[in-house]
Structures are given as C-alpha cells and as structure tokens.
Amino acid sequence: MTTNDAELLEAMMLTRAFEEQNRALQAAGKAPGTCASVGQEAAAVGVIKALGKDDLILTNHRSAGHLLARGAEPGRVLAEIMGRSSGYCKGKSGSLHISAKELGVVLTSTIVGGELSMAPGVALALSMQKSRAIVACVFGDGAACEGSFHESLNLAAVWNLPILYVCENNQWQAYVHRRETMLTEKIAARAAAYGIKGITVDGNDVQAVHAAAREAAAEVRATKKPILLETYTYRTWGHYEPDDQSYVDSKELTEWRERDPIEYLKGRLLARREIETREIEAIETRVKQRIADALAFASESPFPSAAELATDVYA
Amino acid sequence: MTQMTVNDAIGRALAEEMRRDSRVIMFGEGVATKRQDLLKEFGAERIRNTPLAEGVIAGTAVGAAAMGLRPVIDMLFAPFLCYAMDEIVNSAGKLRYVSGGQFSFPMVVMAMTGGGWGVGAQHNHNLEAWFAHAPGLKVVMPSTADDFRGLLKSSIRDDNPVMFFTDMTLGYTPGEVSEADGAIPLGQAAIRRAGKDLTIVSYSKAVHACVAAAQQLEGMNVAAEVIDLRTIKPLDEATLLASVRKTGRLLVVTEASGLCGVAAEVAALAAEKAFGALKAPVARLTGPDAPTPSSHALEQAYLPTAEGIAAAAKKLVSAGG
Ligand SMILES: Cc1ncc(C[n+]2csc(CCOP(=O)(O)OP(=O)(O)O)c2C)c(N)n1
C-alpha cells in the first residue's frame, strides 16, 4: 500500500488538530484527560498507512493517531472519549481502550504490554485461517521493559507468527525518562535475542517511517516471521492532560520540538516544490471542518442510559 | 455408561469438542507432550507446546478468542495463574464490556487446585473466589467424572471466558461417564443426596466428604441434603434457596479459606433471600487463612473431613428451634 505525501501530511494534521481539540475540551471540563500523541504523528501515520485493509491493529493508550490514520471517524472517536453512546464502544471504553472491529482495530490497551500479550493469539488465528493479513502491534519503550514484551516476541518468533511489532520509542514512560530505565539506546537491538530482524527508523520523518514500515510489512507477510520496527521519536506534550511538563529538560524538549514531524514534512515538500502553500492551506481548511463536525456530532450524541451499565459483560 | 477416571473424562471431552468444532485449539506447557492422542488426531497446529510464559499463554488465548478461535489453555497448577492475572482478569474478563460487545472471548483456562498431593503452597491454592469476583469470567469446579466431561464440553462451547478447575486428587478418581453427547449446562447445581434436616453446600473434592458425612449423619437420624454447586459462577441460586427453604439449616463447606470466599457468598445469599426460613445461623466450614502446607499430616488437617462436617452438621441441627 502506498500513500502519497499529501495524504500523509493530511493524516498527521488531522491527528494534531484532534489532539488540540481534546486538550481544549479537557481544559474546559467537557471531557476527561487523554494521552496525546503530539510529536509522534509521523510514527503513527507512517506505520498505519503502510498496512493493508485486512491487516489487524493492536495499539496502546496513545492511539488517536493510529485510529484516525486507519480511517476512524473523528466524531465517533471523540464521542467515545466524551462517553457518548455513538462512540466506537458505545461509551464504555473512553480514550484508553478503544477498539473498532470494522476497522480491524482489535485493541487499544491501557495495560502497558496488554497489546503485546494478545498479539500472538490474533496472529495465530490469521495464520490458521491461511489469511494473507498481518498484525501490527504498537507499543512504547515503557512496554518494552515489561515481561510481556519478552514473552510475546519469543513466542511469535518460535511460532512463526505474522506480527509487525512497532515500538514507538518516544523517550518517556509516563513521568520517567527512558534513560532511567534502560541502559541501551535502541529497542530494536533486542530483536536479535529472539532470532528476528530489528530495525530503527527516524520516527519524525513520515516518509522514512512509511517506507520502512511498508518494507517490513511486506517481509512479515512473505516470511510469516515477526519483525521489530522501532520508530525513534519524542512525546512533545505531557503524559496525560493536563500536564505542565515541569519535569522535562527544556533543552531536550526544544530540540525535539524543532524537529516537529508535521513542519518537517511541510518544509521538505515545499523546498522540493512537491506541494504548494495553497494546497497546505486547503488541507488545513478541510481538517478544521472535520474537527468542527466531529465536535458537533459528539456533543449532540446522547450519553448511554444507566440501563447499559451491566450489558455486554457476558455474551 | 463407561467407567473412567476424571483425567480420562477430561481427555474425552477435549477430543469430542475438537472433533465437533475445528475452531477449538489447545496449548500450554507440555500439552502436546502429555496429550499424544490429541496431537495425533488433530495435528501440531491445534495442539501446541508453549514456552514457560504464563502471561503470554493466557494473552494468546485472549487474542485467538477475539478472532473467533476457541482456545483451551492448560495452566497446570492454579498458583501459576498469578502470572496470568492481567490477561485473564483485565483482558479476557473486561474487553467484551469495554468494546461495547464488539468482541467475545470464548476460551477455557484449565488449572489444578486442591490438597492431598503434598505439593505445598506454591503448587496448591484454591483460587476460585478470586475469579468469581472478577466480572466477565465464569468459574467451573466439578466433582465427578461425568460432570468433568459434561461441564468441560459446555465450557468450551460457551462464548465467555471460563475458569475450569480440577482438584488434583480427583484426577484419578473413577466414575461413570455417559455415552451420549453429555454436555451439562453451566449454572446448574446437582443434589447429590436428598434430606430434610439440613442443607450442606459444597463443590469439587469436598463434595465427597460431604456425602460421606451425610451417610454418617443418617446413622444419627439426621437427613442431610447435599448440594454440589458444580459451577461457582453462574451460581445456581434457585436450587440452593429451595433447599434452604425446605430444611431451614445451611452448612457451607469449602476447602478454600473462608474470608471473602465462596462460602461467604452462599451464606450471604441465604441470609438475604431465605432469612425467614432459617431456623439457626448459617454455619461455614472452610480451610484456614494459611498457605497450604506440604507435610501430609498438616495438609490433611487443612482439608474438610467427613467427621468434621458431620460434627458441624450435628451441632447445627441441635441449635435453634
Ligand atoms: C501495567 C501498567 N503499568 C503502569 C501503567 C501506568 N502507565 C500508563 S502509560 C505509562 C507509560 C507507558 O510508557 P510507554 O510504554 O513508553 O508508552 P508511552 O506512554 O510513552 O506512549 C504508564 C507507566 C499502566 N497503564 N499499565
């Protein structure tokens, strides 16, 4: 699957605008806080846009970019966050565990590592069905310190499961910097310990991420062997809104903000005359409108009735 | 009817369900080694050995179930479930609900519990109440070979995650097993013995001690009704309450420790819904709040015995009006 640069740009801009809307809603007391994906748009969009339509996705609590890049309706994601019955999970999930079967999103896990423990089972089912689809399992560098990371990669390697493991190494594990919890710089190096391939790519360069993910996905599909792809990036907003980031080294933050993935792509495309300012403005207008529509849809949606409290517990 | 051990009845249920439904698969630490007959009949894709990694064994079952397979996993000894609590409680039990019903998790988690083998605290722990307390899970704990077969079949067919506990010593206990399909619905208790003077409620291995106690009580002119819950969740309230209303006295016997356990739940249920029928306070006979000892002498002291149950029943019958 190839996606052109304007599409990649639009998907990143939509995610950013969505997160900004979330933050505003949270500040106004109209929605609970969320774990924003700002700064990581290239990592999210580059990978998800590299997947085929039958491929399945398991991701983590910072999933807005993954859901939207997959084609989720912003209105239904926002409705879920705002606890409305028109959300993807009828308002029973909230932002932290959204799944959307129709989009192949099996799980957004708020248990750090939960997505890793489930991925082999999802991939096993695909492989028993002789499907050509693969599973993309997205997690953070924090999850890579959980035991489930080791168990999952080892089992997937031993059982030849078609999983593209995607570690979004955003340098943070909630309020702890990655340097405090691991001595190595790159997560991808761990792949060798399981006998599988590990790749690190610049997670702020959407074109690089997209190319690497396309290639890796094709290899997983062809070989039925897992690959560990690391997108090296940075979480430029706080862990969970609101978060004043007072604990962050301001020099480091400034450096990474200067490498903003959206501005980076815009600058490169403009410099090479691969896009015109007019087109970027047109994208901006479209994105604004979609977010405004999403907000209207979610705000007008009803809350679930109290009778829904104990439904869907059992089949 | 054929005579077979509980272990053989379990094997038969697995083979029958795998034959019946190609979505049923089984994996765990050594299942392909220990169940050669299943491996031979169904192949290495459906019967698999796994690494020693309980968390991902359970997680893999959850993922496979979400995709429509019907995995059965053997976790060996119940204490090892502690390594898989997240996947069982947070994923299997909760994800149907938080997904708004988009995904179901038809899976069975098998594990062994129960004293009598001298394997000590880290291989023996009756954990059924933990899982009964977690929403979204069902808990099955049979006592006879026929029930093991019939309830395992229903557990595999159930669209919810089911915890299926086997008391270690029951594994070698023979019993009659029916020839027919033999699936037994979850949520139906069995009346092992009818009686009018008191109700004794139990499940799993302790049921046999209760039946033996009832025989002793007969000699003392006390007619005990023995109810085998068979499934802890769903709990068969109707059978339980009907019996309590008939006898007016309730003794609950569990091998598991008492605080916040299944016996507490059964007692509360009687107090809440059949208080008017009670002629005496509900009595509980449970294991101590202690890890299971390995020493045979201490382990036997841990378990409810027929003599202990008969004595508690006698006391209950003499109490009240
Ligand atoms: C099992 C578990 N432990 C702790 C948490 C609390 N928590 C939520 S997000 C998070 C940080 C996870 O870091 P990482 O995996 O790197 O993902 P990121 O948030 O950076 O995207 C923590 C510790 C949790 N949700 N689950």
Side-chain angles (χ1 to χ4, degrees), chain A residues 10-303:
Chain A
E10 181 153 352
M12 290 200 292
M13 287 169 66
L14 181 69
T15 302
R16 178 72 57 90
F18 185 84
E19 298 290 25
E20 283 167 349
Q21 175 71 267
N22 276 345
R23 174 138 97 174
L25 283 170
Q26 188 278 324
K30 290 181 181 164
T34 56
C35 291
S37 60
V38 171
Q40 302 175 219
E41 293 90 346
V45 167
V47 167
I48 299 301
K49 291 284 191 191
L51 302 174
K53 74 172 190 350
D54 295 332
D55 293 341
L56 298 170
I57 297 169
L58 288 88
T59 175
N60 70 359
H61 51 278
R62 226 170 277 292
S63 66
H66 309 123
L67 292 163
L68 296 176
R70 187 58 175 181
E73 287 174 37
R76 288 187 66 195
V77 183
L78 190 57
E80 190 57 50
I81 293 171
M82 293 173 74
R84 309 299 170 113
S85 59
S86 59
Y88 275 100
C89 307
K90 304 183 196 165
K92 285 179 168 167
S93 163
S95 72
L96 293 176
H97 5 57
I98 298 181
S99 57
K101 200 172 189 178
E102 65 205 81
L103 302 170
V105 179
V106 181
L107 176 68
T108 288
S109 183
T110 184
I111 297 287
V112 170
E115 67 284 34
L116 283 158
S117 71
M118 267 176 73
V122 175
L124 175 64
L126 290 179
S127 114
M128 287 183 66
Q129 292 155 7
K130 310 274 176 267
S131 167
R132 268 182 45 77
I134 68 167
V135 177
C137 178
V138 187
F139 56 97
D141 44 295
C145 296
E146 291 273 3
S148 54
F149 169 84
H150 163 74
E151 294 190 19
S152 185
L153 269 72
N154 185 54
L155 184 66
V158 168
W159 281 7
N160 286 330
L161 298 175
I163 304 177
L164 178 59
Y165 286 102
V166 182
C167 181
E168 290 186 346
N169 183 352
N170 67 5
Q171 316 301 321
W172 284 97
Q173 305 172 354
Y175 305 105
V176 179
H177 197 283
R178 180 185 57 73
R179 278 191 307 265
E180 279 189 60
T181 67
M182 55 176 74
L183 296 182
T184 49
E185 186 67 12
K186 301 283 161 63
I187 309 285
R190 298 181 188 183
Y194 308 105
I196 64 172
K197 189 189 261 191
I199 306 156
T200 302
V201 64
D202 176 358
N204 282 32
D205 177 348
V206 73
Q207 292 170 311
V209 173
H210 192 53
R214 268 198 338 250
E215 201 176 303
E219 189 171 331
V220 170
R221 209 180 303 282
T223 62
K224 310 284 182 213
K225 276 195 186 308
I227 287 180
L228 173 57
L229 173 67
E230 173 181 21
T231 50
Y232 198 82
T233 181
Y234 198 86
R235 190 198 81 204
T236 53
W237 280 14
H239 167 57
Y240 179 87
E241 295 302 321
D243 179 347
D244 64 9
Q245 292 180 282
S246 56
Y247 52 91
V248 179
D249 171 3
S250 61
K251 185 166 164 286
E252 181 179 272
L253 187 58
T254 307
E255 276 168 20
W256 279 95
R257 281 192 174 150
E258 278 163 6
R259 301 200 51 228
D260 183 283
I262 296 178
E263 295 312 315
Y264 183 71
L265 180 64
K266 275 188 197 166
R268 181 192 277 176
L269 295 178
L270 285 168
R272 294 183 184 168
R273 299 186 189 286
E274 289 168 351
I275 203 165
E276 289 178 26
T277 311
R278 258 188 314 116
E279 280 177 75
I280 295 179
E281 285 164 3
I283 294 174
E284 239 152 33
T285 309
R286 263 202 308 276
V287 161
K288 255 194 199 139
Q289 188 58 49
R290 286 190 73 188
I291 296 298
D293 292 347
L295 181 60
F297 170 81
S299 309
E300 284 156 21
S301 293
F303 286 102

